[in-house]
Amino acid sequence: MTSEISLLTIFLLSVFLGFEVVSKVATILHTPLMSGANAIHGVILVGAILVAGKAESTVELVLALLAVVFATVNVVGGFVATDRMLSMFGGKERRR
């Protein structure tokens, strides 16, 4: 029971911290912040792979594989969006 309360506390503090950081960052800094978030999602992908490797039941394996798929989509999509945003800062010659 204590570990569940600790995990819930960490989750709620993470949500609050994420909301505060994103809402206080200037618009010009959203691209670097997004790149950092993509790196964090890489860690989540590694965690999902580790959980999939230790799954003991079919339900755990399916949920872990779904987590791997969603984390992969999030990482790839985030880097594609970041690359597109960074290309907008370049001159007209770099966009071609």
Side-chain angles (χ1 to χ4, degrees):
M1 183 71 175
T2 305
S3 74
E4 287 98 11
I5 291 174
S6 298
L7 292 175
L8 182 63
T9 303
I10 291 170
F11 176 74
L12 291 175
L13 288 174
S14 300
V15 169
F16 177 74
L17 180 66
F19 179 78
E20 287 297 316
V21 167
V22 170
S23 66
K24 301 283 190 271
V25 170
T27 306
I28 191 91
L29 295 177
H30 279 189
T31 301
L33 181 65
M34 192 169 144
S35 296
N38 290 337
I40 292 170
H41 283 282
V43 173
I44 292 170
L45 177 60
V46 171
I49 291 171
L50 290 175
V51 169
K54 293 185 178 184
E56 295 180 1
S57 69
T58 305
V59 174
E60 289 176 355
L61 183 62
V62 168
L63 289 175
L65 291 177
L66 280 174
V68 169
V69 169
F70 288 139
T72 302
V73 168
N74 199 7
V75 167
V76 172
F79 278 110
V80 168
T82 300
D83 185 52
R84 180 171 164 82
M85 289 172 64
L86 289 175
S87 70
M88 291 179 181
F89 289 111
K92 291 182 180 179
E93 296 177 11
R94 290 187 67 197
R95 289 187 206 162
R96 293 182 184 176

